[in-house]
């Protein structure tokens, strides 16, 4: 009798164990599932949303979860500046993932790679090449190339820096790239260079343009193989596959330009000291709009243009201005920053906004309205 009772209890335990083993997150109420999710980082949750259709649907519709996480990081900041172009995407989830990754990344300032053998104050333009595995830069009239250490190498210094005399008669003002071809620009000329495994090899000098003005800037559109160079007053557009004359040229403003600041498959943006940003429509071959940057004696210095959403302009008074290319580049909002001098560079990334300034700092901010500080270098 005892043995039979024990067998029955063991059978019941085994049966209970089978039922218990079958329990999973799929069987939990949605509220309890989301409560568990609140203890996980956004990147893990993003992976969890790809496990099955049910997880995907729950997390896709849980916008309040992601908004709450973002609000916890940056209280009193509203929606992201860069709204999703396609509403069916997991916009708030992907935003939260990008935000948490950026915060974790910029907390690791001690692991940043440093350029040795070069005075950082003399470095002007720098390009990251080959998925950030190499960099090309300029210091006065010298071009330099270096391979960047991988994560596995755990090095905080770049020592193998190869320099080459550019042959320019003046300091290099700007650099841009199309695939492995680098274009350097200074007051006297524009030159192209091929990036090889051993360094930079000079290809040609664009000296067939009538030298009426000094060249101050260069930008490129790799998707179409085009690059443009700007002087004090005019802009010339070249096809990198042709070695003859420019395919287009125009004068954007009546005053001196500060920079040819951005270029994509459709538009070229340039700035001038009169506080205007001119938008050139490449397909129509005309200036489609001129935007006035607000502020007394303020003029635009730099811009970052994303293909999907916005254009961000930095000015001489340390302010940021958001333009909407979907609405003829209308000025939407302007923001004050913690910089104390003009903004010299701006980059709209997927998870953050990076600005550099004449005050000697680089600031990383959130893509919220208004932008919130993440880190200062």
């Amino acid at each position: 009798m005892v043995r039979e009772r024990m067998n029955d209890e063991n059978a019941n335990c085994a049966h209970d164990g089978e039922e218990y083993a079958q329990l999973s997150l799929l069987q939990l109420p949605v509220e309890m599932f989301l409560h568990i999710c609140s203890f996980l980082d956004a990147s893990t949750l993003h992976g969890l949303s790809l496990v099955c259709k049910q997880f995907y649907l729950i997390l896709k519709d849980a916008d309040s979860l992601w908004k709450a996480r973002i609000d916890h990081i940056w209280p009193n900041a509203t929606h992201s500046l860069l709204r999703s172009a396609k509403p069916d995407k997991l916009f708030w989830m992907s935003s939260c993932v990008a935000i948490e990754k950026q915060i974790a990344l910029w907390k690791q300032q001690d692991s940043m790679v440093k350029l040795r053998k070069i005075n950082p104050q003399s470095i002007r333009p720098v390009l990251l090449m080959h998925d950030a595995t190499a960099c090309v830069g300029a210091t006065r009239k010298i071009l330099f190339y270096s391979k960047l250490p991988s994560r596995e190498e755990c090095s905080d210094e770049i020592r193998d820096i190869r320099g080459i005399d550019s042959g320019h008669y003046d300091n290099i003002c700007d650099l841009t790239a199309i695939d492995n071809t680098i274009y350097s620009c200074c007051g006297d000329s524009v030159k192209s260079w091929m990036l090889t495994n051993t360094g930079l090899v000079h290809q040609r000098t664009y000296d067939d343009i009538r030298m009426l003005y000094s060249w101050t800037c260069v930008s490129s559109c790799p998707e179409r193989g085009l690059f443009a160079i700007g002087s004090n007053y005019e802009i010339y557009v070249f096809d990198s596959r042709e070695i003859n004359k420019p395919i287009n040229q125009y004068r954007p403003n009546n005053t001196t330009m500060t920079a040819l600041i951005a270029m994509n498959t459709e538009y070229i943006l340039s700035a001038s000291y009169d506080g205007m940003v001119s938008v050139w429509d490449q397909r129509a071959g005309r200036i489609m709009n001129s935007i006035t940057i607000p502020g007394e004696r303020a003029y635009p210095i730099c811009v970052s243009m994303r293909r999907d959403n916005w254009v961000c302009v930095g000015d001489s008074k340390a302010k940021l201005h958001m333009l909407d290319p979907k609405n003829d580049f209308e000025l939407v909002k302007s923001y004050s920053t913690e910089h104390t001098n003009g903004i010299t560079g701006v980059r709209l990334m997927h998870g953050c906004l990076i600005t550099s300034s004449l005050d000697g700092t680089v600031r990383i901010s959130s893509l919220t309205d208004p932008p919130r500080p993440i880190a200062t270098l």
Side-chain angles (χ1 to χ4, degrees), residues 349-369:
M349 311 295 287
H350 287 288
C352 68
L353 171 68
I354 303 176
T355 54
S356 60
S357 170
L358 290 171
D359 63 11
T361 65
V362 175
R363 295 183 182 272
I364 295 86
S365 306
S366 67
L367 290 176
T368 54
D369 180 13

PDB file of all heavy atoms in Angstrom, residues 349-369:
ATOM      1  N   MET A 349      23.733  61.315 -36.062  1.00  0.00           N
ATOM      2  CA  MET A 349      23.911  59.879 -36.067  1.00  0.00           C
ATOM      3  C   MET A 349      22.559  59.220 -35.764  1.00  0.00           C
ATOM      4  O   MET A 349      21.567  59.893 -35.495  1.00  0.00           O
ATOM      5  CB  MET A 349      24.953  59.465 -35.028  1.00  0.00           C
ATOM      6  CG  MET A 349      26.245  60.261 -35.089  1.00  0.00           C
ATOM      7  SD  MET A 349      27.175  60.014 -36.621  1.00  0.00           S
ATOM      8  CE  MET A 349      27.802  58.365 -36.341  1.00  0.00           C
ATOM      9  N   HIS A 350      22.527  57.872 -35.796  1.00  0.00           N
ATOM     10  CA  HIS A 350      21.280  57.171 -35.525  1.00  0.00           C
ATOM     11  C   HIS A 350      20.894  57.243 -34.049  1.00  0.00           C
ATOM     12  O   HIS A 350      19.716  57.161 -33.722  1.00  0.00           O
ATOM     13  CB  HIS A 350      21.393  55.706 -35.951  1.00  0.00           C
ATOM     14  CG  HIS A 350      21.387  55.527 -37.435  1.00  0.00           C
ATOM     15  ND1 HIS A 350      20.255  55.710 -38.197  1.00  0.00           N
ATOM     16  CD2 HIS A 350      22.375  55.200 -38.304  1.00  0.00           C
ATOM     17  CE1 HIS A 350      20.537  55.501 -39.475  1.00  0.00           C
ATOM     18  NE2 HIS A 350      21.807  55.198 -39.562  1.00  0.00           N
ATOM     19  N   GLY A 351      21.881  57.415 -33.174  1.00  0.00           N
ATOM     20  CA  GLY A 351      21.561  57.426 -31.753  1.00  0.00           C
ATOM     21  C   GLY A 351      21.956  58.685 -31.030  1.00  0.00           C
ATOM     22  O   GLY A 351      21.657  58.827 -29.840  1.00  0.00           O
ATOM     23  N   CYS A 352      22.616  59.629 -31.709  1.00  0.00           N
ATOM     24  CA  CYS A 352      23.059  60.827 -31.014  1.00  0.00           C
ATOM     25  C   CYS A 352      23.350  61.941 -32.000  1.00  0.00           C
ATOM     26  O   CYS A 352      23.382  61.734 -33.223  1.00  0.00           O
ATOM     27  CB  CYS A 352      24.296  60.532 -30.162  1.00  0.00           C
ATOM     28  SG  CYS A 352      25.776  60.153 -31.140  1.00  0.00           S
ATOM     29  N   LEU A 353      23.580  63.115 -31.453  1.00  0.00           N
ATOM     30  CA  LEU A 353      23.960  64.296 -32.209  1.00  0.00           C
ATOM     31  C   LEU A 353      25.335  64.730 -31.705  1.00  0.00           C
ATOM     32  O   LEU A 353      25.517  64.938 -30.500  1.00  0.00           O
ATOM     33  CB  LEU A 353      22.928  65.406 -31.994  1.00  0.00           C
ATOM     34  CG  LEU A 353      23.257  66.791 -32.547  1.00  0.00           C
ATOM     35  CD1 LEU A 353      23.246  66.778 -34.072  1.00  0.00           C
ATOM     36  CD2 LEU A 353      22.258  67.816 -32.028  1.00  0.00           C
ATOM     37  N   ILE A 354      26.313  64.855 -32.600  1.00  0.00           N
ATOM     38  CA  ILE A 354      27.682  65.208 -32.220  1.00  0.00           C
ATOM     39  C   ILE A 354      27.993  66.598 -32.758  1.00  0.00           C
ATOM     40  O   ILE A 354      27.797  66.869 -33.943  1.00  0.00           O
ATOM     41  CB  ILE A 354      28.696  64.188 -32.760  1.00  0.00           C
ATOM     42  CG1 ILE A 354      28.355  62.783 -32.255  1.00  0.00           C
ATOM     43  CG2 ILE A 354      30.111  64.562 -32.339  1.00  0.00           C
ATOM     44  CD1 ILE A 354      29.252  61.703 -32.809  1.00  0.00           C
ATOM     45  N   THR A 355      28.483  67.487 -31.891  1.00  0.00           N
ATOM     46  CA  THR A 355      28.866  68.832 -32.304  1.00  0.00           C
ATOM     47  C   THR A 355      30.264  69.149 -31.786  1.00  0.00           C
ATOM     48  O   THR A 355      30.626  68.775 -30.675  1.00  0.00           O
ATOM     49  CB  THR A 355      27.882  69.884 -31.768  1.00  0.00           C
ATOM     50  OG1 THR A 355      27.765  69.753 -30.342  1.00  0.00           O
ATOM     51  CG2 THR A 355      26.510  69.719 -32.396  1.00  0.00           C
ATOM     52  N   SER A 356      31.034  69.851 -32.611  1.00  0.00           N
ATOM     53  CA  SER A 356      32.339  70.373 -32.184  1.00  0.00           C
ATOM     54  C   SER A 356      32.289  71.884 -32.248  1.00  0.00           C
ATOM     55  O   SER A 356      31.468  72.467 -32.962  1.00  0.00           O
ATOM     56  CB  SER A 356      33.452  69.839 -33.081  1.00  0.00           C
ATOM     57  OG  SER A 356      33.243  70.229 -34.436  1.00  0.00           O
ATOM     58  N   SER A 357      33.180  72.531 -31.500  1.00  0.00           N
ATOM     59  CA  SER A 357      33.080  73.974 -31.373  1.00  0.00           C
ATOM     60  C   SER A 357      34.453  74.623 -31.244  1.00  0.00           C
ATOM     61  O   SER A 357      35.447  73.970 -30.889  1.00  0.00           O
ATOM     62  CB  SER A 357      32.228  74.331 -30.140  1.00  0.00           C
ATOM     63  OG  SER A 357      32.282  75.710 -29.846  1.00  0.00           O
ATOM     64  N   LEU A 358      34.485  75.925 -31.539  1.00  0.00           N
ATOM     65  CA  LEU A 358      35.694  76.713 -31.336  1.00  0.00           C
ATOM     66  C   LEU A 358      36.042  76.864 -29.861  1.00  0.00           C
ATOM     67  O   LEU A 358      37.134  77.328 -29.532  1.00  0.00           O
ATOM     68  CB  LEU A 358      35.503  78.113 -31.957  1.00  0.00           C
ATOM     69  CG  LEU A 358      35.459  78.173 -33.489  1.00  0.00           C
ATOM     70  CD1 LEU A 358      35.056  79.567 -33.945  1.00  0.00           C
ATOM     71  CD2 LEU A 358      36.804  77.782 -34.087  1.00  0.00           C
ATOM     72  N   ASP A 359      35.135  76.458 -28.965  1.00  0.00           N
ATOM     73  CA  ASP A 359      35.455  76.526 -27.539  1.00  0.00           C
ATOM     74  C   ASP A 359      36.335  75.361 -27.094  1.00  0.00           C
ATOM     75  O   ASP A 359      36.669  75.249 -25.909  1.00  0.00           O
ATOM     76  CB  ASP A 359      34.176  76.587 -26.694  1.00  0.00           C
ATOM     77  CG  ASP A 359      33.308  75.336 -26.825  1.00  0.00           C
ATOM     78  OD1 ASP A 359      33.768  74.340 -27.390  1.00  0.00           O
ATOM     79  OD2 ASP A 359      32.141  75.379 -26.359  1.00  0.00           O
ATOM     80  N   GLY A 360      36.697  74.473 -28.039  1.00  0.00           N
ATOM     81  CA  GLY A 360      37.616  73.384 -27.719  1.00  0.00           C
ATOM     82  C   GLY A 360      36.947  72.129 -27.212  1.00  0.00           C
ATOM     83  O   GLY A 360      37.627  71.216 -26.729  1.00  0.00           O
ATOM     84  N   THR A 361      35.638  72.033 -27.303  1.00  0.00           N
ATOM     85  CA  THR A 361      34.931  70.847 -26.819  1.00  0.00           C
ATOM     86  C   THR A 361      34.171  70.166 -27.941  1.00  0.00           C
ATOM     87  O   THR A 361      33.811  70.780 -28.946  1.00  0.00           O
ATOM     88  CB  THR A 361      33.920  71.199 -25.705  1.00  0.00           C
ATOM     89  OG1 THR A 361      32.889  72.035 -26.245  1.00  0.00           O
ATOM     90  CG2 THR A 361      34.597  71.906 -24.553  1.00  0.00           C
ATOM     91  N   VAL A 362      33.944  68.869 -27.753  1.00  0.00           N
ATOM     92  CA  VAL A 362      33.027  68.085 -28.579  1.00  0.00           C
ATOM     93  C   VAL A 362      31.930  67.591 -27.654  1.00  0.00           C
ATOM     94  O   VAL A 362      32.213  66.988 -26.612  1.00  0.00           O
ATOM     95  CB  VAL A 362      33.742  66.896 -29.255  1.00  0.00           C
ATOM     96  CG1 VAL A 362      32.740  66.038 -30.013  1.00  0.00           C
ATOM     97  CG2 VAL A 362      34.833  67.389 -30.194  1.00  0.00           C
ATOM     98  N   ARG A 363      30.695  67.849 -28.027  1.00  0.00           N
ATOM     99  CA  ARG A 363      29.565  67.465 -27.180  1.00  0.00           C
ATOM    100  C   ARG A 363      28.685  66.451 -27.898  1.00  0.00           C
ATOM    101  O   ARG A 363      28.390  66.613 -29.080  1.00  0.00           O
ATOM    102  CB  ARG A 363      28.736  68.691 -26.774  1.00  0.00           C
ATOM    103  CG  ARG A 363      29.513  69.662 -25.887  1.00  0.00           C
ATOM    104  CD  ARG A 363      28.657  70.834 -25.434  1.00  0.00           C
ATOM    105  NE  ARG A 363      29.428  71.758 -24.628  1.00  0.00           N
ATOM    106  CZ  ARG A 363      29.584  71.664 -23.303  1.00  0.00           C
ATOM    107  NH1 ARG A 363      28.981  70.673 -22.651  1.00  0.00           N
ATOM    108  NH2 ARG A 363      30.299  72.532 -22.632  1.00  0.00           N
ATOM    109  N   ILE A 364      28.308  65.421 -27.159  1.00  0.00           N
ATOM    110  CA  ILE A 364      27.412  64.385 -27.670  1.00  0.00           C
ATOM    111  C   ILE A 364      26.069  64.581 -26.984  1.00  0.00           C
ATOM    112  O   ILE A 364      25.985  64.628 -25.752  1.00  0.00           O
ATOM    113  CB  ILE A 364      27.967  62.976 -27.411  1.00  0.00           C
ATOM    114  CG1 ILE A 364      29.265  62.767 -28.196  1.00  0.00           C
ATOM    115  CG2 ILE A 364      26.969  61.911 -27.834  1.00  0.00           C
ATOM    116  CD1 ILE A 364      30.510  63.232 -27.500  1.00  0.00           C
ATOM    117  N   SER A 365      25.012  64.718 -27.784  1.00  0.00           N
ATOM    118  CA  SER A 365      23.687  65.011 -27.247  1.00  0.00           C
ATOM    119  C   SER A 365      22.664  64.010 -27.771  1.00  0.00           C
ATOM    120  O   SER A 365      22.908  63.287 -28.737  1.00  0.00           O
ATOM    121  CB  SER A 365      23.251  66.428 -27.641  1.00  0.00           C
ATOM    122  OG  SER A 365      24.222  67.386 -27.263  1.00  0.00           O
ATOM    123  N   SER A 366      21.517  64.001 -27.116  1.00  0.00           N
ATOM    124  CA  SER A 366      20.432  63.110 -27.525  1.00  0.00           C
ATOM    125  C   SER A 366      19.698  63.698 -28.717  1.00  0.00           C
ATOM    126  O   SER A 366      19.764  64.892 -28.996  1.00  0.00           O
ATOM    127  CB  SER A 366      19.451  62.916 -26.365  1.00  0.00           C
ATOM    128  OG  SER A 366      18.787  64.141 -26.095  1.00  0.00           O
ATOM    129  N   LEU A 367      18.949  62.848 -29.414  1.00  0.00           N
ATOM    130  CA  LEU A 367      18.126  63.289 -30.533  1.00  0.00           C
ATOM    131  C   LEU A 367      16.695  63.553 -30.075  1.00  0.00           C
ATOM    132  O   LEU A 367      15.734  63.199 -30.743  1.00  0.00           O
ATOM    133  CB  LEU A 367      18.144  62.229 -31.641  1.00  0.00           C
ATOM    134  CG  LEU A 367      19.470  62.077 -32.380  1.00  0.00           C
ATOM    135  CD1 LEU A 367      19.391  60.940 -33.380  1.00  0.00           C
ATOM    136  CD2 LEU A 367      19.844  63.375 -33.076  1.00  0.00           C
ATOM    137  N   THR A 368      16.574  64.164 -28.917  1.00  0.00           N
ATOM    138  CA  THR A 368      15.260  64.510 -28.382  1.00  0.00           C
ATOM    139  C   THR A 368      14.997  65.989 -28.589  1.00  0.00           C
ATOM    140  O   THR A 368      15.852  66.728 -29.069  1.00  0.00           O
ATOM    141  CB  THR A 368      15.190  64.170 -26.875  1.00  0.00           C
ATOM    142  OG1 THR A 368      16.287  64.819 -26.206  1.00  0.00           O
ATOM    143  CG2 THR A 368      15.285  62.685 -26.643  1.00  0.00           C
ATOM    144  N   ASP A 369      13.809  66.394 -28.237  1.00  0.00           N
ATOM    145  CA  ASP A 369      13.391  67.783 -28.393  1.00  0.00           C
ATOM    146  C   ASP A 369      13.100  68.347 -26.994  1.00  0.00           C
ATOM    147  O   ASP A 369      12.058  68.053 -26.424  1.00  0.00           O
ATOM    148  CB  ASP A 369      12.148  67.848 -29.273  1.00  0.00           C
ATOM    149  CG  ASP A 369      11.649  69.265 -29.474  1.00  0.00           C
ATOM    150  OD1 ASP A 369      12.404  70.205 -29.141  1.00  0.00           O
ATOM    151  OD2 ASP A 369      10.510  69.433 -29.958  1.00  0.00           O
TER     152      ASP A 369
END
